[in-house]
Coordinates of all heavy atoms in Angstrom, one line a residue:
M24 N 5.4 19.0 -12.2 CA 6.4 19.6 -13.1 C 7.7 19.7 -12.4 O 7.8 20.0 -11.2 CB 5.9 21.0 -13.4 CG 6.8 21.8 -14.2 SD 5.8 23.2 -14.9 CE 6.9 23.7 -16.2
T25 N 8.8 19.4 -13.1 CA 10.1 19.4 -12.5 C 10.9 20.6 -12.9 O 10.9 21.0 -14.1 CB 10.8 18.1 -13.0 OG1 10.0 17.0 -12.7 CG2 12.2 18.0 -12.4
C26 N 11.6 21.2 -12.0 CA 12.4 22.4 -12.2 C 13.9 22.0 -12.0 O 14.2 21.6 -10.9 CB 12.0 23.4 -11.3 SG 11.6 25.0 -12.0
G27 N 14.7 22.2 -13.0 CA 16.1 21.9 -12.8 C 16.3 20.4 -12.4 O 15.8 19.5 -13.1
G28 N 17.0 20.2 -11.3 CA 17.3 18.9 -10.8 C 16.3 18.4 -9.7 O 16.5 17.3 -9.2
E29 N 15.3 19.2 -9.4 CA 14.4 18.9 -8.3 C 13.6 17.7 -8.6 O 13.2 17.4 -9.7 CB 13.5 20.1 -8.0 CG 14.2 21.3 -7.5 CD 13.2 22.4 -7.1 OE1 12.0 22.1 -7.0 OE2 13.7 23.5 -7.0
L30 N 13.3 16.9 -7.6 CA 12.5 15.8 -7.7 C 11.1 16.2 -7.2 O 10.9 17.0 -6.3 CB 13.0 14.6 -6.8 CG 14.3 14.0 -7.2 CD1 14.8 13.0 -6.1 CD2 14.3 13.4 -8.5
S31 N 10.1 15.6 -7.8 CA 8.7 15.8 -7.3 C 7.9 14.5 -7.3 O 8.1 13.7 -8.2 CB 8.0 16.8 -8.2 OG 7.8 16.4 -9.5
F32 N 7.2 14.3 -6.2 CA 6.4 13.1 -6.1 C 5.1 13.2 -7.0 O 4.4 14.2 -6.9 CB 6.0 12.9 -4.6 CG 7.1 12.4 -3.8 CD1 7.9 13.3 -3.1 CD2 7.4 11.0 -3.7 CE1 9.0 12.8 -2.3 CE2 8.4 10.6 -2.9 CZ 9.2 11.5 -2.2
T33 N 4.9 12.2 -7.8 CA 3.7 12.2 -8.6 C 2.7 11.2 -8.0 O 1.5 11.3 -8.2 CB 4.0 11.7 -10.1 OG1 4.6 10.4 -10.0 CG2 4.9 12.7 -10.8
L34 N 3.2 10.4 -7.1 CA 2.3 9.5 -6.3 C 3.0 9.2 -5.0 O 4.0 8.5 -5.0 CB 2.0 8.2 -7.1 CG 1.0 7.2 -6.4 CD1 -0.3 7.8 -6.2 CD2 0.9 6.0 -7.3
E35 N 2.5 9.8 -3.9 CA 3.1 9.6 -2.6 C 2.4 8.5 -1.8 O 1.3 8.2 -2.1 CB 3.0 10.9 -1.8 CG 3.8 12.0 -2.4 CD 3.8 13.2 -1.5 OE1 4.2 13.1 -0.3 OE2 3.4 14.3 -2.0
P36 N 3.2 7.9 -0.9 CA 2.6 6.9 0.0 C 1.4 7.6 0.8 O 1.5 8.7 1.1 CB 3.7 6.5 0.9 CG 4.9 6.9 0.2 CD 4.6 8.0 -0.6
S37 N 0.4 6.8 1.0 CA -0.7 7.3 1.8 C -1.1 6.3 2.9 O -0.7 5.2 2.8 CB -1.9 7.6 0.9 OG -2.3 6.5 0.2
D38 N -1.9 6.8 3.9 CA -2.3 5.9 4.9 C -3.2 4.8 4.3 O -4.2 5.2 3.5 CB -3.1 6.7 6.0 CG -2.2 7.6 6.8 OD1 -1.0 7.3 6.8 OD2 -2.7 8.5 7.5
I39 N -3.0 3.6 4.7 CA -3.8 2.5 4.2 C -4.0 1.5 5.3 O -3.3 1.5 6.3 CB -3.2 1.8 2.9 CG1 -1.8 1.2 3.3 CG2 -3.2 2.7 1.7 CD1 -1.3 0.4 2.1
I40 N -5.0 0.7 5.1 CA -5.3 -0.4 6.1 C -4.9 -1.7 5.5 O -5.3 -2.0 4.4 CB -6.8 -0.4 6.5 CG1 -7.2 0.9 7.2 CG2 -7.1 -1.6 7.4 CD1 -8.7 1.0 7.4
A41 N -4.0 -2.4 6.2 CA -3.5 -3.6 5.7 C -4.4 -4.8 6.2 O -5.0 -4.7 7.3 CB -2.0 -3.8 6.2
V42 N -4.4 -5.8 5.4 CA -5.2 -7.0 5.8 C -4.1 -8.1 6.1 O -3.3 -8.4 5.3 CB -6.1 -7.5 4.7 CG1 -6.8 -8.8 5.0 CG2 -7.1 -6.4 4.3
Q43 N -4.3 -8.7 7.3 CA -3.4 -9.7 7.8 C -3.3 -10.9 6.8 O -4.3 -11.3 6.2 CB -4.0 -10.3 9.1 CG -3.2 -11.4 9.7 CD -1.9 -11.0 10.4 OE1 -1.6 -9.8 10.5 NE2 -1.1 -12.0 10.9
E44 N -2.1 -11.3 6.5 CA -1.8 -12.5 5.7 C -2.0 -12.2 4.2 O -2.0 -13.1 3.4 CB -2.6 -13.7 6.1 CG -2.5 -14.1 7.5 CD -1.1 -14.6 7.9 OE1 -0.4 -15.2 7.1 OE2 -0.7 -14.5 9.1
Q45 N -2.2 -10.9 3.8 CA -2.4 -10.6 2.4 C -1.3 -9.7 1.9 O -0.6 -9.0 2.7 CB -3.8 -9.8 2.2 CG -5.0 -10.6 2.6 CD -5.1 -11.8 1.6 OE1 -5.0 -11.7 0.4 NE2 -5.4 -13.0 2.2
P46 N -1.1 -9.6 0.6 CA -0.1 -8.7 0.0 C -0.5 -7.3 0.2 O -1.7 -7.0 0.3 CB -0.1 -9.1 -1.5 CG -0.9 -10.3 -1.7 CD -1.7 -10.5 -0.5
L47 N 0.5 -6.4 0.3 CA 0.2 -5.0 0.5 C 1.2 -4.2 -0.4 O 2.4 -4.4 -0.4 CB 0.5 -4.6 1.9 CG 0.3 -3.1 2.3 CD1 -1.1 -2.7 2.1 CD2 0.8 -2.9 3.7
M48 N 0.6 -3.3 -1.3 CA 1.4 -2.5 -2.2 C 1.4 -1.1 -1.7 O 0.4 -0.5 -1.5 CB 0.9 -2.6 -3.6 CG 1.7 -1.8 -4.6 SD 3.3 -2.5 -5.1 CE 2.7 -3.8 -6.2
L49 N 2.6 -0.5 -1.5 CA 2.8 0.9 -1.1 C 3.4 1.6 -2.3 O 4.4 1.2 -2.9 CB 3.7 1.0 0.1 CG 3.3 0.3 1.3 CD1 4.3 0.4 2.4 CD2 2.0 0.8 1.8
H50 N 2.7 2.7 -2.8 CA 3.2 3.4 -4.0 C 4.0 4.6 -3.7 O 3.8 5.3 -2.7 CB 1.9 3.8 -4.8 CG 1.1 2.6 -5.3 ND1 1.6 1.8 -6.3 CD2 0.0 2.1 -4.8 CE1 0.7 0.8 -6.5 NE2 -0.3 1.0 -5.6
C51 N 5.0 4.8 -4.5 CA 5.8 6.0 -4.4 C 6.4 6.2 -5.8 O 7.3 5.5 -6.3 CB 6.9 5.7 -3.4 SG 8.1 7.1 -3.3
Q52 N 5.9 7.2 -6.5 CA 6.4 7.5 -7.8 C 7.0 9.0 -7.9 O 6.3 9.9 -7.4 CB 5.4 7.3 -8.9 CG 5.0 5.8 -8.9 CD 3.9 5.5 -9.9 OE1 3.4 6.4 -10.6 NE2 3.4 4.3 -9.9
V53 N 8.1 9.1 -8.5 CA 8.8 10.4 -8.5 C 9.2 10.8 -9.9 O 9.6 9.9 -10.7 CB 10.1 10.3 -7.6 CG1 10.9 11.6 -7.5 CG2 9.8 9.8 -6.2
E54 N 9.1 12.1 -10.2 CA 9.6 12.6 -11.5 C 10.9 13.5 -11.2 O 11.0 14.1 -10.1 CB 8.6 13.5 -12.1 CG 7.4 12.8 -12.7 CD 6.5 13.7 -13.4 OE1 6.5 15.0 -13.2 OE2 5.7 13.2 -14.2
G55 N 11.7 13.5 -12.2 CA 12.9 14.3 -12.1 C 13.9 13.9 -13.1 O 13.6 13.0 -13.9
I56 N 15.1 14.4 -13.0 CA 16.2 14.0 -14.0 C 16.8 12.7 -13.5 O 17.2 12.5 -12.4 CB 17.3 15.1 -14.0 CG1 16.7 16.4 -14.6 CG2 18.4 14.7 -14.9 CD1 17.6 17.6 -14.5
P57 N 16.7 11.7 -14.4 CA 17.2 10.4 -14.1 C 18.7 10.4 -14.0 O 19.4 11.3 -14.6 CB 16.7 9.5 -15.2 CG 15.9 10.3 -16.1 CD 16.1 11.7 -15.7
P58 N 19.3 9.4 -13.4 CA 18.6 8.3 -12.8 C 18.1 8.6 -11.4 O 18.8 9.4 -10.7 CB 19.7 7.2 -12.7 CG 21.0 8.0 -12.6 CD 20.8 9.2 -13.4
I59 N 17.0 8.1 -11.0 CA 16.3 8.3 -9.7 C 16.4 7.0 -9.0 O 16.0 6.0 -9.5 CB 14.9 8.8 -9.9 CG1 14.9 10.2 -10.6 CG2 14.2 8.9 -8.5 CD1 13.5 10.6 -11.0
T60 N 16.8 7.0 -7.8 CA 16.8 5.8 -6.9 C 15.8 6.1 -5.8 O 15.7 7.2 -5.3 CB 18.2 5.5 -6.3 OG1 18.6 6.6 -5.5 CG2 19.2 5.2 -7.4
T61 N 15.1 5.0 -5.4 CA 14.2 5.1 -4.2 C 14.6 4.1 -3.2 O 15.1 3.0 -3.6 CB 12.7 4.9 -4.6 OG1 12.6 3.7 -5.3 CG2 12.2 6.1 -5.5
Q62 N 14.4 4.5 -2.0 CA 14.6 3.5 -0.9 C 13.4 3.6 0.0 O 12.7 4.7 0.1 CB 15.8 3.9 0.0 CG 17.2 3.8 -0.7 CD 18.3 4.2 0.2 OE1 18.1 5.1 1.1 NE2 19.4 3.6 0.0
W63 N 13.1 2.6 0.8 CA 12.0 2.6 1.7 C 12.6 2.4 3.1 O 13.6 1.6 3.3 CB 11.1 1.4 1.4 CG 10.2 1.8 0.3 CD1 10.4 1.6 -1.1 CD2 8.9 2.4 0.4 NE1 9.3 2.0 -1.8 CE2 8.4 2.5 -0.9 CE3 8.1 2.9 1.4 CZ2 7.1 3.1 -1.2 CZ3 6.9 3.4 1.2 CH2 6.4 3.5 -0.1
R64 N 12.0 3.0 4.1 CA 12.3 2.8 5.5 C 11.0 2.5 6.2 O 9.9 3.0 5.9 CB 12.9 4.1 6.1 CG 14.2 4.4 5.5 CD 14.8 5.7 6.2 NE 16.1 6.1 5.5 CZ 17.3 5.6 5.9 NH1 17.4 4.7 6.9 NH2 18.4 6.0 5.3
R65 N 11.1 1.7 7.2 CA 10.0 1.4 8.1 C 10.5 1.7 9.5 O 11.5 1.2 10.0 CB 9.6 -0.1 8.1 CG 8.4 -0.4 8.9 CD 8.0 -1.9 8.9 NE 9.0 -2.8 9.2 CZ 9.3 -3.1 10.5 NH1 8.7 -2.6 11.5 NH2 10.3 -4.0 10.7
N66 N 9.7 2.6 10.2 CA 10.1 3.1 11.5 C 11.5 3.6 11.5 O 12.3 3.4 12.5 CB 9.9 2.1 12.6 CG 8.4 1.6 12.6 OD1 7.5 2.4 12.3 ND2 8.1 0.4 13.0
G67 N 12.0 4.2 10.5 CA 13.3 4.8 10.4 C 14.4 3.9 9.9 O 15.5 4.3 9.6
A68 N 14.2 2.6 9.9 CA 15.2 1.6 9.5 C 15.0 1.3 8.0 O 13.9 1.0 7.5 CB 15.1 0.3 10.3
L69 N 16.2 1.2 7.3 CA 16.2 0.9 5.9 C 15.6 -0.5 5.6 O 16.0 -1.5 6.3 CB 17.6 1.0 5.3 CG 17.8 0.8 3.8 CD1 17.1 2.0 3.1 CD2 19.3 0.8 3.5
I70 N 14.7 -0.7 4.7 CA 14.2 -2.0 4.3 C 15.1 -2.6 3.3 O 15.4 -2.0 2.3 CB 12.7 -1.8 3.7 CG1 11.8 -1.3 4.8 CG2 12.3 -3.1 3.1 CD1 10.4 -1.0 4.3
V71 N 15.4 -3.8 3.5 CA 16.3 -4.6 2.6 C 15.4 -5.6 1.9 O 14.5 -6.3 2.5 CB 17.4 -5.3 3.3 CG1 18.2 -6.2 2.4 CG2 18.3 -4.3 4.1
E72 N 15.5 -5.7 0.5 CA 14.7 -6.6 -0.2 C 15.0 -8.1 0.2 O 16.1 -8.4 0.5 CB 15.0 -6.5 -1.7 CG 14.3 -5.4 -2.4 CD 14.3 -5.5 -3.9 OE1 15.4 -5.1 -4.4 OE2 13.4 -5.9 -4.5
D73 N 13.9 -8.8 0.4 CA 14.0 -10.3 0.7 C 12.8 -11.0 0.2 O 12.1 -10.4 -0.7 CB 14.2 -10.5 2.2 CG 13.0 -10.0 3.1 OD1 11.9 -9.7 2.5 OD2 13.2 -9.8 4.3
Q74 N 12.5 -12.1 0.7 CA 11.3 -12.9 0.2 C 10.0 -12.2 0.5 O 9.0 -12.5 -0.2 CB 11.3 -14.3 0.7 CG 11.0 -14.5 2.2 CD 12.2 -14.3 3.1 OE1 13.3 -14.0 2.6 NE2 12.1 -14.6 4.3
N75 N 10.0 -11.3 1.4 CA 8.7 -10.6 1.8 C 8.6 -9.2 1.2 O 7.5 -8.6 1.1 CB 8.5 -10.6 3.3 CG 7.1 -10.3 3.7 OD1 6.1 -10.8 3.1 ND2 6.9 -9.4 4.6
Y76 N 9.8 -8.5 1.0 CA 9.8 -7.1 0.5 C 10.4 -7.0 -0.9 O 11.5 -7.4 -1.1 CB 10.6 -6.2 1.5 CG 10.0 -6.1 2.9 CD1 10.6 -6.8 3.9 CD2 9.0 -5.2 3.1 CE1 10.1 -6.6 5.2 CE2 8.5 -5.1 4.4 CZ 9.0 -5.8 5.4 OH 8.5 -5.6 6.7
V77 N 9.6 -6.5 -1.8 CA 10.1 -6.4 -3.2 C 9.9 -4.9 -3.6 O 8.8 -4.3 -3.5 CB 9.3 -7.3 -4.2 CG1 9.7 -7.1 -5.6 CG2 9.4 -8.7 -3.8
M78 N 11.0 -4.3 -4.1 CA 11.0 -2.9 -4.5 C 11.0 -2.9 -6.0 O 11.9 -3.5 -6.6 CB 12.2 -2.1 -3.9 CG 12.1 -2.0 -2.4 SD 13.5 -1.2 -1.7 CE 13.7 -2.2 -0.3
F79 N 10.0 -2.2 -6.6 CA 9.9 -2.1 -8.0 C 10.7 -0.9 -8.6 O 10.9 0.1 -7.9 CB 8.4 -2.0 -8.4 CG 7.7 -3.3 -8.2 CD1 7.1 -3.5 -7.0 CD2 7.7 -4.3 -9.1 CE1 6.4 -4.7 -6.7 CE2 7.0 -5.5 -8.9 CZ 6.4 -5.7 -7.7
A80 N 11.0 -0.9 -9.8 CA 11.7 0.2 -10.5 C 11.0 1.5 -10.4 O 11.5 2.6 -10.4 CB 12.1 -0.2 -11.9
N81 N 9.6 1.4 -10.4 CA 8.8 2.6 -10.4 C 8.7 3.3 -9.0 O 8.1 4.3 -8.8 CB 7.4 2.4 -10.9 CG 6.6 1.5 -10.0 OD1 7.0 1.1 -9.0 ND2 5.3 1.3 -10.5
G82 N 9.4 2.6 -8.0 CA 9.4 3.1 -6.6 C 8.4 2.5 -5.7 O 8.5 2.7 -4.5
S83 N 7.5 1.6 -6.2 CA 6.6 1.0 -5.3 C 7.2 -0.1 -4.5 O 8.2 -0.7 -4.9 CB 5.4 0.4 -6.1 OG 4.7 1.5 -6.7
L84 N 6.6 -0.4 -3.3 CA 7.1 -1.5 -2.4 C 6.0 -2.5 -2.2 O 4.8 -2.1 -1.9 CB 7.5 -0.9 -1.1 CG 7.8 -1.9 0.0 CD1 9.1 -2.6 -0.3 CD2 7.9 -1.2 1.4
L85 N 6.3 -3.7 -2.5 CA 5.3 -4.8 -2.2 C 5.7 -5.6 -1.0 O 6.9 -6.1 -0.9 CB 5.3 -5.8 -3.4 CG 4.4 -7.0 -3.2 CD1 2.9 -6.7 -3.1 CD2 4.6 -8.0 -4.4
I86 N 4.8 -5.7 0.0 CA 5.0 -6.5 1.1 C 4.2 -7.8 0.8 O 2.9 -7.7 0.7 CB 4.5 -5.9 2.4 CG1 5.2 -4.6 2.7 CG2 4.6 -6.8 3.6 CD1 4.6 -3.7 3.8
G87 N 4.8 -8.9 0.5 CA 4.2 -10.0 -0.1 C 3.2 -10.7 0.8 O 2.3 -11.3 0.4
H88 N 3.4 -10.6 2.1 CA 2.6 -11.4 3.1 C 2.6 -10.6 4.4 O 3.4 -10.8 5.3 CB 3.3 -12.8 3.3 CG 2.4 -13.8 4.0 ND1 1.4 -14.4 3.4 CD2 2.5 -14.2 5.3 CE1 0.9 -15.3 4.3 NE2 1.5 -15.1 5.5
F89 N 1.7 -9.6 4.5 CA 1.6 -8.7 5.6 C 1.3 -9.5 6.9 O 0.4 -10.2 6.9 CB 0.6 -7.6 5.4 CG 0.6 -6.6 6.5 CD1 1.4 -5.5 6.6 CD2 -0.3 -6.8 7.6 CE1 1.4 -4.6 7.6 CE2 -0.3 -5.9 8.7 CZ 0.5 -4.8 8.7
Q90 N 2.1 -9.2 7.9 CA 1.9 -9.9 9.2 C 2.0 -8.9 10.3 O 3.0 -8.2 10.4 CB 2.9 -11.0 9.4 CG 2.7 -12.2 8.4 CD 3.7 -13.3 8.7 OE1 4.8 -13.1 9.2 NE2 3.2 -14.5 8.5
K91 N 1.0 -8.9 11.2 CA 1.0 -8.0 12.3 C 2.1 -8.5 13.3 O 2.8 -7.7 13.9 CB -0.4 -7.9 12.9 CG -0.5 -6.9 14.1 CD -1.9 -6.8 14.5 CE -1.9 -5.8 15.7 NZ -3.3 -5.5 16.1
T92 N 2.2 -9.8 13.5 CA 3.2 -10.4 14.4 C 3.8 -11.6 13.7 O 3.0 -12.5 13.4 CB 2.5 -10.8 15.7 OG1 1.9 -9.6 16.3 CG2 3.6 -11.2 16.7
K93 N 5.1 -11.6 13.5 CA 5.8 -12.7 12.9 C 6.3 -13.6 14.0 O 6.3 -13.3 15.1 CB 6.9 -12.2 12.1 CG 6.5 -11.3 10.9 CD 7.8 -10.8 10.2 CE 7.4 -9.8 9.1 NZ 8.5 -9.4 8.3
S94 N 6.7 -14.8 13.5 CA 7.2 -15.8 14.5 C 8.4 -15.3 15.3 O 8.6 -15.8 16.4 CB 7.5 -17.1 13.8 OG 8.5 -16.9 12.8
D95 N 9.2 -14.4 14.7 CA 10.3 -13.9 15.5 C 10.0 -12.7 16.4 O 10.9 -12.1 16.9 CB 11.5 -13.6 14.5 CG 11.1 -12.4 13.6 OD1 10.0 -11.9 13.7 OD2 12.0 -12.1 12.7
G96 N 8.7 -12.4 16.4 CA 8.3 -11.2 17.3 C 8.2 -9.9 16.6 O 7.7 -8.9 17.1
S97 N 8.8 -9.8 15.3 CA 8.8 -8.6 14.6 C 7.4 -8.4 13.9 O 6.5 -9.3 14.0 CB 9.9 -8.6 13.5 OG 9.6 -9.6 12.5
S98 N 7.2 -7.3 13.2 CA 6.0 -7.0 12.6 C 6.2 -6.2 11.3 O 7.2 -5.5 11.2 CB 5.1 -6.2 13.6 OG 3.9 -5.7 13.0
D99 N 5.2 -6.2 10.4 CA 5.2 -5.4 9.2 C 4.5 -4.1 9.5 O 4.6 -3.2 8.7 CB 4.5 -6.1 8.1 CG 5.4 -7.3 7.5 OD1 6.6 -7.1 7.5 OD2 4.8 -8.3 7.2
E100 N 3.9 -3.9 10.7 CA 3.2 -2.7 11.0 C 4.3 -1.6 11.2 O 5.4 -1.9 11.6 CB 2.4 -2.8 12.3 CG 1.1 -3.5 12.2 CD 0.3 -3.4 13.5 OE1 0.9 -3.6 14.5 OE2 -0.9 -3.2 13.3
G101 N 3.9 -0.4 11.0 CA 4.8 0.7 11.2 C 4.6 1.9 10.3 O 3.7 1.9 9.5
D102 N 5.5 2.9 10.4 CA 5.5 4.0 9.6 C 6.5 3.8 8.4 O 7.7 3.7 8.6 CB 5.9 5.3 10.4 CG 4.9 5.7 11.4 OD1 3.7 5.6 11.1 OD2 5.3 6.0 12.5
Y103 N 6.0 3.8 7.2 CA 6.8 3.6 6.0 C 7.1 4.9 5.3 O 6.2 5.8 5.2 CB 6.1 2.7 5.0 CG 6.1 1.2 5.5 CD1 5.1 0.8 6.4 CD2 7.0 0.3 5.0 CE1 5.1 -0.6 6.8 CE2 7.0 -1.0 5.4 CZ 6.1 -1.4 6.3 OH 6.1 -2.7 6.7
E104 N 8.3 5.1 4.9 CA 8.7 6.3 4.3 C 9.5 6.0 3.0 O 10.4 5.1 3.0 CB 9.7 7.1 5.2 CG 10.3 8.3 4.7 CD 11.2 9.0 5.7 OE1 11.8 8.3 6.6 OE2 11.4 10.2 5.6
C105 N 9.1 6.7 1.9 CA 9.8 6.5 0.6 C 10.8 7.7 0.5 O 10.4 8.8 0.6 CB 8.8 6.6 -0.5 SG 9.5 6.6 -2.1
I106 N 12.0 7.4 0.2 CA 13.1 8.4 0.0 C 13.6 8.3 -1.4 O 14.0 7.2 -1.9 CB 14.2 8.2 1.0 CG1 13.7 8.3 2.4 CG2 15.3 9.2 0.7 CD1 14.6 7.7 3.4
A107 N 13.5 9.4 -2.2 CA 13.9 9.4 -3.6 C 15.2 10.3 -3.7 O 15.3 11.3 -3.0 CB 12.8 9.9 -4.5
Q108 N 16.1 9.9 -4.6 CA 17.3 10.7 -4.8 C 17.7 10.6 -6.2 O 17.6 9.6 -6.9 CB 18.4 10.2 -3.8 CG 19.6 11.0 -3.8 CD 20.6 10.5 -2.8 OE1 20.4 9.5 -2.1 NE2 21.7 11.2 -2.7
N109 N 18.3 11.7 -6.7 CA 19.0 11.7 -8.0 C 20.3 12.4 -7.9 O 20.8 12.6 -6.7 CB 18.1 12.3 -9.1 CG 17.9 13.8 -9.0 OD1 18.4 14.4 -8.1 ND2 17.1 14.4 -9.9
F110 N 21.0 12.6 -8.9 CA 22.3 13.2 -8.9 C 22.4 14.5 -8.1 O 23.4 14.9 -7.5 CB 22.8 13.5 -10.3 CG 24.2 14.1 -10.4 CD1 25.3 13.4 -10.2 CD2 24.3 15.5 -10.7 CE1 26.6 14.0 -10.3 CE2 25.5 16.1 -10.8 CZ 26.7 15.4 -10.6
F111 N 21.3 15.3 -8.1 CA 21.2 16.6 -7.5 C 20.9 16.5 -6.0 O 20.9 17.5 -5.3 CB 20.2 17.5 -8.2 CG 20.5 17.7 -9.6 CD1 20.0 16.9 -10.6 CD2 21.5 18.6 -10.0 CE1 20.3 17.1 -12.0 CE2 21.8 18.8 -11.3 CZ 21.2 18.1 -12.3
G112 N 20.5 15.4 -5.5 CA 20.2 15.2 -4.1 C 18.8 14.7 -3.8 O 18.2 14.2 -4.7
L113 N 18.4 14.8 -2.5 CA 17.1 14.3 -2.1 C 16.0 15.2 -2.5 O 16.1 16.3 -2.6 CB 17.1 14.1 -0.6 CG 18.1 13.1 0.0 CD1 18.0 13.2 1.5 CD2 17.8 11.7 -0.4

């Protein structure tokens, strides 16, 4: 239930086990007064959409090809955080 301009999560991200080399969907759905924007962070850093990260209008994040260790030494492992905002704030 939404009160005034407050946002409320109807589906929050939860701990999941990822499978190497497989797609991974992280869910984040929010109710409130539109328009609502969502952003994702991994280990505190903003995730930018690219060929591996796709953000859906409903707030979910798809990691197209989960990799524990990429060729550049980076990783998809980490703490993911969904941040939702509307006109009234976070």
Side-chain angles (χ1 to χ4, degrees):
M24 181 162 196
T25 305
C26 231
E29 293 181 18
L30 297 175
S31 63
F32 286 91
T33 57
L34 183 59
E35 294 186 55
S37 59
D38 291 341
I39 57 173
I40 297 172
V42 178
Q43 178 76 5
E44 308 291 331
Q45 295 296 313
L47 176 65
M48 181 73 78
L49 301 176
H50 297 286
C51 176
Q52 294 177 8
V53 181
E54 285 184 344
I56 297 174
I59 299 170
T60 59
T61 55
Q62 294 180 329
W63 281 89
R64 295 183 183 271
R65 184 178 56 82
N66 299 332
L69 187 65
I70 294 175
V71 178
E72 281 191 280
D73 61 16
Q74 69 275 6
N75 195 45
Y76 293 104
V77 178
M78 292 176 222
F79 292 91
N81 70 359
S83 295
L84 172 69
L85 173 66
I86 303 171
H88 191 78
F89 182 86
Q90 294 182 328
K91 186 173 180 175
T92 306
K93 298 180 182 183
S94 59
D95 64 2
S97 66
S98 172
D99 289 321
E100 281 188 318
D102 293 320
Y103 286 81
E104 177 183 24
C105 174
I106 300 166
Q108 184 174 4
N109 67 3
F110 178 78
F111 299 99
L113 297 174

